[in-house]
């Protein structure tokens, strides 16, 4: 009896020990997350800026990979296309020069250093010419031309006036010089906004125009002729 009872008790104990402990999933996951959130596990993690940069470069790599896959010839074809685009941009820049500024205030003939007389602009132009700085000499000589016309009341002083506008207005009062005035304005724009480089003949031509205009007689309008009669 006692032997059988002992065997029965042992079986019960063994059966009870074989049953595994069943931990619920949700508490286990929360415990793991709590453990992994400790600072000791994140000491070497990248900061916010590094993560942003990594995402950016991953995006750039993805764009290039997609472009390489779509371009004929794969990566080699993409490289050829990039070289062609760069070459086309360089050719356009060489042909057209630096893009002109869109703001009319930035295209004004005179700078913001304050008004100067025609004589001062001429002196500055001659100083640049002596130093062989032909582009600067052309700029100052064109300013001398317009300032001289303003001083003679052939042009109304107007801030923000461009070289083209001055040439067009002066050409109506001095029609014999209208073509050369327009050419002088284009020369000014080319060296000032178009990235061109002036040379000695360009300056000497503008200098001669300035001297001729200084003695030119304006064309009287019908109103002025009637008043004079």
């Amino acid at each position: 009896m006692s032997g059988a009872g002992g065997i029965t008790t042992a079986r019960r104990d063994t059966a009870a020990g074989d049953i595994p402990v069943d931990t619920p999933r949700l508490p286990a996951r929360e415990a793991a997350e709590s453990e992994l959130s400790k600072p000791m596990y994140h000491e070497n993690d990248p900061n916010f800026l590094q993560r942003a940069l990594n995402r950016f470069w991953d995006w750039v790599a993805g764009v290039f990979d997609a472009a390489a896959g779509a371009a004929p010839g794969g990566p080699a074809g993409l490289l050829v296309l990039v070289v062609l685009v760069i070459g086309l941009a360089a050719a356009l820049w060489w042909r057209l020069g630096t893009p002109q500024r869109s703001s009319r205030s930035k295209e004004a003939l005179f700078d913001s250093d304050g008004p100067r007389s025609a004589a001062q602009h001429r002196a500055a132009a001659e100083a640049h010419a002596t130093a062989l700085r032909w582009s600067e000499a052309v700029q100052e000589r064109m300013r001398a031309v317009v300032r001289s016309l303003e001083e003679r009341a052939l042009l109304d002083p107007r801030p923000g006036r461009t070289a083209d506008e001055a040439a067009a207005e002066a050409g109506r009062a001095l029609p014999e010089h209208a073509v050369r005035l327009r050419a002088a304005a284009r020369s000014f724009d080319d060296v000032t906004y178009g990235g061109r480089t002036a040379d000695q003949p360009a300056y000497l031509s503008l200098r001669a125009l300035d001297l001729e205009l200084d003695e030119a007689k304006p064309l009287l309008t019908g109103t002025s002729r009637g008043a004079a009669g």
Side-chain angles (χ1 to χ4, degrees):
M1 296 291 293
S2 61
I7 294 173
T8 302
T9 303
R11 288 177 178 175
R12 289 177 180 174
D13 293 341
T14 301
D18 289 340
I19 299 175
V21 178
D22 186 10
T23 304
R25 292 182 179 180
L26 183 58
R29 185 177 65 183
E30 292 177 348
E33 292 176 351
S34 177
E35 178 65 21
L36 293 175
S37 65
K38 293 180 179 179
M40 61 182 295
Y41 294 106
H42 302 279
E43 294 178 352
N44 298 321
D45 287 355
N47 57 32
F48 175 78
L49 179 60
Q50 291 173 330
R51 292 196 302 271
L53 288 175
N54 290 338
R55 292 178 180 176
F56 171 75
W57 290 119
D58 289 342
W59 175 80
V60 171
V63 170
F64 275 98
D65 289 342
L78 177 62
L79 179 60
V80 172
L81 290 176
V82 170
V83 172
L84 289 176
V85 170
I86 294 175
L88 178 60
L92 289 174
W93 180 86
W94 179 83
R95 178 65 180 85
L96 302 177
T98 305
Q100 295 187 359
R101 302 174 187 179
S102 58
S103 174
R104 291 179 60 85
S105 63
K106 294 182 180 180
E107 295 178 356
L109 180 64
F110 298 101
D111 52 34
S112 58
D113 294 338
R116 291 189 291 172
S117 67
Q120 289 175 314
H121 285 296
R122 288 181 180 126
E126 288 297 311
H128 287 305
T130 301
L132 305 182
R133 296 189 294 266
W134 302 116
S135 295
E136 291 84 350
V138 165
Q139 292 172 321
E140 287 299 323
R141 203 76 198 196
M142 184 62 191
R143 291 171 179 139
V145 167
V146 176
R147 184 67 79 203
S148 176
L149 295 174
E150 291 177 349
E151 291 173 354
R152 295 173 59 193
L154 298 181
L155 288 179
D156 294 329
R158 178 158 54 85
R161 176 190 277 124
T162 66
D164 292 329
E165 292 172 343
E169 294 172 18
R172 289 192 287 271
L174 301 165
E176 294 182 358
H177 299 85
V179 174
R180 295 176 64 190
L181 281 165
R182 289 195 297 269
R186 284 196 301 270
S187 180
F188 177 88
D189 288 341
D190 285 344
V191 301
T192 306
Y193 310 113
R196 306 295 188 192
T197 301
D199 53 15
Q200 184 179 17
Y203 174 70
L204 293 179
S205 176
L206 185 52
R207 181 176 182 272
L209 175 63
D210 183 23
L211 296 177
E212 292 177 21
L213 290 176
D214 202 35
E215 298 180 356
K217 302 299 182 182
L219 176 67
L220 297 178
T221 63
T223 302
S224 299
R225 286 198 298 266

